[in-house]
Amino acid sequence: MKLTDNVLRSFRVAKVFRENSDKINCFDFSPNGETVISSSDDDSIVLYDCQEGKPKRTLYSKKYGVDLIRYTHAANTVVYSSNKIDDTIRYLSLHDNKYIRYFPGHAKRVVALSMSPVDDTFISGSLDKTIRLWDLRSPNCQGLMHLQGKPVCSFDPEGLIFAAGVNSEMVKLYDLRSFDKGPFATFKMQYDRTCEWTGLKFSNDGKLILISTNGGFIRLIDAFKGAVLHTFGGYNNSKAVTLEASFTPDSQFIMIGSEDGKIHVWNGESGMKVAVLDGKHTGPITCLQFNPKFMTFASACSNMAFWLPTIDD
């Protein structure tokens, strides 16, 4: 089944889970698409089975809180940032609920965390105006970059370069093997003082970069030239909430939730809005991602919703 405008318009909420008492701040699909793991402001980590459509287990991180959770490549392990006590990143085995390693270093809250798609490297960006490069096998930071402002960062799909969005006005591209030499490309954007950048993602084909903001628009740029291809707006975000925007796995469509519980979908090539889906969410849709392997996506406020298409196009 191929994703088309009609298929996207046909998506409906298949299941809603009310496992959390506070907002879900992040979730991540496993690389094989079979599970999704969420972190919430209620200090819980919930693991869902995507194929059976049910929660499998719940773990707690009451002392440190939990935010920005990401699967690693090893089965049943995750890394996540903390939102209480300190700003250490933690590497957790879900199998026995034990910490494998700690990654101390950031002096303020971690606001970006990206796992390499190919190996045990990951990067983190913090309000302490640094980006740190890590290896899961060592607690020591493998590389450190000082920036002028709040960073957002992400790996490209091949794990060879990473992009850093700095000060909500420029995107810098770094080669992982020589990032200490500085960026090999810098794209300057028009600065918008009404909002700040909250996220940055590459499309799966590596050709596009999506910049999320806490305002009423998101930007799609060319990953090679830095040209702004489209600016997408027309969704509700009056309270400057951090809303996650995502690509579909085929890199063709862009989606974002809104504070009124609706999901807006655009065609990345034409820039046209193709669907507005009502998720009946009780609060702002802070997290939204398409499953990497199956024809389903998930959206979350304090509830988690699984979506399925209702037509075969």
Side-chain angles (χ1 to χ4, degrees), residues 108-222:
K108 285 188 175 167
R109 194 160 73 90
V110 174
V111 290
L113 191 61
S114 177
M115 191 78 212
S116 162
V118 295
D119 61 21
D120 283 339
T121 317
F122 67 97
I123 48 174
S124 57
S126 158
L127 294 178
D128 64 14
K129 299 182 185 173
T130 64
I131 287 177
R132 286 174 183 262
L133 182 69
W134 310 87
D135 186 305
L136 283 174
R137 295 161 295 196
S138 162
N140 304 321
C141 168
Q142 306 292 302
L144 174 63
M145 286 161 47
H146 291 275
L147 306 165
Q148 296 302 305
K150 174 189 166 179
V152 287
C153 53
S154 183
F155 278 100
D156 83 313
E158 287 169 348
L160 298 173
I161 65 170
F162 66 87
V166 189
N167 275 358
S168 301
E169 62 179 346
M170 60 185 99
V171 175
K172 295 172 182 272
L173 299 182
Y174 295 85
D175 186 311
L176 208 61
R177 292 154 302 198
S178 58
F179 81 94
D180 48 340
K181 296 188 173 69
F184 66 84
T186 299
F187 309 137
K188 198 147 170 32
M189 307 280 142
Q190 194 179 346
Y191 180 65
D192 187 317
R193 63 169 61 91
T194 63
C195 62
E196 60 178 14
W197 294 359
T198 52
L200 188 145
K201 285 183 184 178
F202 279 89
S203 57
N204 272 346
D205 62 10
K207 294 175 181 172
L208 305 167
I209 294 173
L210 182 60
I211 298 169
S212 315
T213 74
N214 61 0
F217 68 92
I218 51 180
R219 277 209 182 105
L220 187 67
I221 68 168
D222 182 301

Side-chain angles (χ1 to χ4, degrees), residues 232-288:
F232 303 116
Y235 58 91
N236 288 355
N237 189 14
S238 61
K239 297 187 181 73
V241 180
T242 296
L243 303 170
E244 181 178 25
S246 290
F247 287 100
T248 50
D250 61 5
S251 308
Q252 303 297 314
F253 298 94
I254 286 98
M255 330 170 60
I256 193 169
S258 61
E259 66 183 6
D260 60 6
K262 291 187 170 65
I263 290 169
H264 297 249
V265 187
W266 294 269
N267 182 308
E269 202 169 345
S270 69
M272 301 297 288
K273 188 173 283 190
V274 297
V276 179
L277 306 169
D278 192 352
K280 310 262 188 301
H281 277 282
T282 51
I285 298 177
T286 42
C287 305
L288 175 67

Side-chain angles (χ1 to χ4, degrees), residues 26-48:
C26 185
F27 66 70
D28 194 32
F29 281 100
S30 60
N32 63 12
E34 289 172 11
T35 60
V36 64
I37 194 156
S38 69
S39 55
S40 164
D41 288 354
D42 64 12
D43 306 333
S44 70
I45 296 168
V46 183
L47 182 66
Y48 297 87

